Amino acid sequence: MKRSLSKILLALSTLPMASAAVAQPGISYEAARVAAQAHAPAREAADLSLAAAEDQAAALDNLYRPTITASASAIAYQKSLSVDLTGAKADVARQAGQFLDGLPGQFPPEFSAVVAAVA
């Protein structure tokens, strides 16, 4: 009984504070309603639910769309040609040798040493 009495006294002592808080001058009923609705947990939950739905719609907006990829490549070809010149080289070497062998007889004997060095 002593405990219940102390609880009742505690509750009664807080009543003047609660009535003082409610009886503040300068705030209208409409301003109080707007302030209460602005911070109402149900309204905040509804706002967050709406934001989540908008985010999910934006995320799903790009699903199931075709994906287009493009690639390009440039190829350069090079043609190599090989010509066998061994026969032509042998012919030129033979003709050059014949020409150089005939040089000493075409010049005067005083130039024979120079012609021999060239040949």
Side-chain angles (χ1 to χ4, degrees), residues 28-88:
S28 68
Y29 175 77
E30 186 63 27
R33 186 182 63 80
V34 169
Q37 284 182 348
H39 299 291
R43 185 165 190 273
E44 289 178 4
D47 288 343
L48 292 175
S49 178
L50 176 65
E54 288 172 347
D55 289 344
Q56 186 175 9
L60 294 176
D61 216 15
N62 293 326
L63 289 180
Y64 306 116
R65 285 195 178 169
T67 302
I68 299 172
T69 58
S71 64
S73 62
I75 300 173
Y77 290 101
Q78 181 179 0
K79 180 67 177 164
S80 298
L81 179 65
S82 98
V83 178
D84 186 20
L85 298 175
T86 54

